[in-house]
């Protein structure tokens, strides 16, 4: 049976370096599982692999979509499974998947339910409601339209609430009715490797990465994307804080500190998510030989 080697973990934990080493070891290619590196207009703020890294090993799903095109985890699942089964696994025994986007990884490993594509007018209206009135009115709306999902949802996660409301409003059916929760069987073996390190070290790596992004020109990149700031793809850490600075809501220094803080929070969220996966084995990124031995064993 073919093997998909998943390298995941919190942001700035060294996933790209390790994935390249493993791909070279097994003479194979890398499928990116990063929901923001997929957009070609977003480079610095998403920590896209350098040109040398991209040249070292063939990567897929890096900057191959546009922020102007709607894209979701279901579409990603369909495209990745097609790439694996009809291309990569015909050439290789092993393929590496690398990234920290929890939903994208879960979609490939376990499958995801087909959710109707959003109506842009409905989506824009909901986001405007959020910007104008905050999250509480959206919570109340979700409670009325889909009480089942309301009781399951993270009520502090405005993105998930808006996503559910989009479906409820445009279909007239509860969002929960589209979520079967049935795990799909795959034709390949999945080996999951998680990278982590002491919190102080990870936080320091995150802070240094943000400083490097600013040195590389994140401010100018965000300025070039400013007119599209309301797109869902740009509602993400790194850009959102710079947009607030460009809107004169904060200083640049404060914006940079907020990027660091919000990235650290996102890393904690990633770790919490991955900790619930009992198929994942944790390593320090320096444990390359141990990781290789585990992969061979499995």
């Amino acid at each position: 049976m073919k093997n998909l080697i998943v390298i995941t973990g919190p942001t700035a934990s060294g996933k790209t370096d390790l994935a390249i080493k493993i791909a070279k070891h097994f003479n194979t290619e890398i499928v990116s599982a990063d929901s923001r590196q997929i957009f070609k207009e977003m480079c610095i703020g998403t920590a896209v692999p350098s040109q040398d890294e991209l040249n070292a090993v063939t990567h897929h799903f890096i900057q191959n979509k546009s922020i102007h095109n709607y894209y979701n985890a279901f579409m990603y699942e369909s495209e990745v499974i097609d790439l694996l089964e009809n291309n990569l696994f015909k050439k290789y025994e092993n393929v590496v998947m690398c990234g920290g986007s929890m939903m994208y990884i879960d979609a490939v490993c376990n499958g995801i339910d087909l959710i109707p594509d959003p109506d842009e007018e409905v989506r824009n209206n909901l986001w405007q409601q959020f910007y104008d009135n905050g999250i509480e009115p959206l919570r109340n709306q979700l409670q009325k339209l889909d009480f089942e999902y309301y009781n399951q949802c993270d009520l502090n996660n405005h993105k998930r609430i808006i996503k559910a409301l989009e479906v409820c409003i445009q279909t007239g059916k509860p969002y929960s009715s589209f979520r079967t929760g049935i795990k799909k069987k795959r034709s390949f073996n999945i080996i999951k490797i998680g990278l982590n390190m002491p919190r102080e070290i990870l936080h320091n790596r995150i802070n240094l990465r943000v400083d490097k992004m600013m040195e590389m020109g994140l401010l100018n990149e965000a300025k070039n994307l400013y007119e599209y700031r309301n797109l869902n793809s740009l509602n993400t850490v790194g850009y959102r804080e710079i947009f607030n600075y460009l809107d004169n809501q904060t200083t640049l220094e404060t914006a940079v500190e907020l990027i660091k803080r919000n990235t650290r929070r996102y890393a904690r969220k990633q770790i919490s998510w991955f900790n619930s996966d009992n198929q994942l084995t944790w390593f320090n990124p320096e444990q390359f030989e141990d990781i290789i031995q585990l992969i061979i064993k499995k």
Side-chain angles (χ1 to χ4, degrees):
M1 182 178 283
K2 306 291 186 175
N3 301 291
L4 180 66
I5 304 166
V6 179
I7 308 298
T8 192
T11 186
S13 59
K15 296 184 294 292
T16 297
D17 288 346
L18 179 68
I20 289 173
K21 289 180 182 178
I22 291 175
K24 284 184 173 181
H25 182 89
F26 290 106
N27 188 31
T28 187
E29 300 179 14
I30 295 174
V31 175
S32 172
D34 189 299
S35 65
R36 289 301 181 262
Q37 289 182 0
I38 206 166
F39 294 114
K40 59 187 177 183
E41 297 88 349
M42 302 163 67
C43 180
I44 298 172
T46 62
V48 166
S50 68
Q51 195 57 54
D52 286 343
E53 290 171 328
L54 294 174
N55 290 338
V57 174
T58 300
H59 287 66
H60 302 270
F61 293 91
I62 292 284
Q63 296 192 299
N64 68 325
K65 308 293 179 185
S66 171
I67 58 174
H68 303 288
N69 300 130
Y70 175 70
Y71 198 70
N72 62 23
F74 180 83
M75 298 163 72
Y76 175 78
E77 174 199 357
S78 300
E79 292 183 13
V80 170
I81 295 301
D82 178 65
L83 175 69
L84 291 174
E85 294 185 340
N86 298 314
N87 183 334
L88 297 183
F89 279 144
K90 291 187 176 181
K91 298 187 291 183
Y92 308 107
E93 290 296 313
N94 307 289
V95 174
V96 175
M97 170 172 278
C98 174
S101 294
M102 297 87 77
M103 191 68 72
Y104 276 32
I105 293 172
D106 196 54
V108 171
C109 293
N110 301 314
I112 195 168
D113 297 319
L114 175 58
I115 305 295
D117 290 341
D119 178 277
E120 285 301 317
E121 186 175 346
V122 171
R123 161 171 280 180
N124 292 337
N125 182 47
L126 288 167
W127 274 102
Q128 195 59 52
Q129 288 182 48
F130 172 69
Y131 292 137
D132 292 342
N133 305 308
I135 197 171
E136 190 60 32
L138 297 177
R139 288 176 183 153
N140 295 336
Q141 200 172 349
L142 180 63
Q143 187 177 26
K144 294 175 183 176
L145 296 178
D146 191 347
F147 188 70
E148 180 180 340
Y149 186 67
Y150 175 85
N151 286 326
Q152 301 172 350
C153 179
D154 176 0
L155 295 176
N156 292 315
N157 189 324
H158 64 278
K159 290 184 180 180
R160 292 193 181 181
I161 292 175
I162 290 173
K163 175 63 180 176
L165 286 174
E166 288 172 5
V167 175
C168 292
I169 292 169
Q170 70 191 59
T171 67
K173 298 178 181 179
Y175 176 65
S176 55
S177 67
F178 293 92
R179 302 171 77 239
T180 65
I182 299 174
K183 183 176 180 179
K184 295 180 183 176
K185 291 184 178 180
R186 298 305 189 197
S187 62
F188 48 86
N189 185 36
I190 299 172
I191 303 167
K192 295 181 180 179
I193 305 296
L195 297 186
N196 205 357
M197 58 192 66
R199 185 173 64 176
E200 302 78 19
I201 296 176
L202 180 64
H203 285 185
N204 187 53
R205 288 169 64 104
I206 289 171
N207 294 339
L208 290 174
R209 171 181 278 191
V210 174
D211 289 336
K212 184 178 179 181
M213 286 177 175
M214 294 303 297
E215 292 172 6
M216 292 174 65
L218 177 58
L219 177 57
N220 286 331
E221 183 173 85
K223 284 180 178 178
N224 291 334
L225 296 170
Y226 179 75
E227 63 180 301
Y228 311 118
R229 62 193 180 282
N230 291 325
L231 291 176
N232 186 54
S233 53
L234 285 165
N235 184 32
T236 190
V237 176
Y239 297 93
R240 187 169 54 231
E241 296 82 359
I242 297 294
F243 293 152
N244 286 340
Y245 159 69
L246 295 174
D247 283 332
N248 296 314
Q249 295 180 18
T250 185
T251 65
L252 182 58
E253 182 181 3
T254 299
V256 172
E257 288 306 310
L258 287 173
I259 294 173
K260 293 177 180 179
R261 185 200 70 181
N262 294 336
T263 304
R264 294 193 298 266
R265 287 180 175 176
Y266 180 61
R268 289 197 295 271
K269 180 180 177 182
Q270 289 174 301
I271 293 169
S272 177
W273 173 289
F274 293 128
N275 272 336
S276 66
D277 188 345
N278 58 17
Q279 294 182 325
L280 191 148
T281 305
W282 291 99
F283 289 93
N284 184 287
E286 297 177 358
Q287 295 177 273
F288 176 71
E289 293 300 331
D290 293 335
I291 292 169
I292 292 296
Q293 290 305 312
L294 178 76
I295 292 170
I296 293 172
K297 180 180 177 181
K298 289 197 172 187

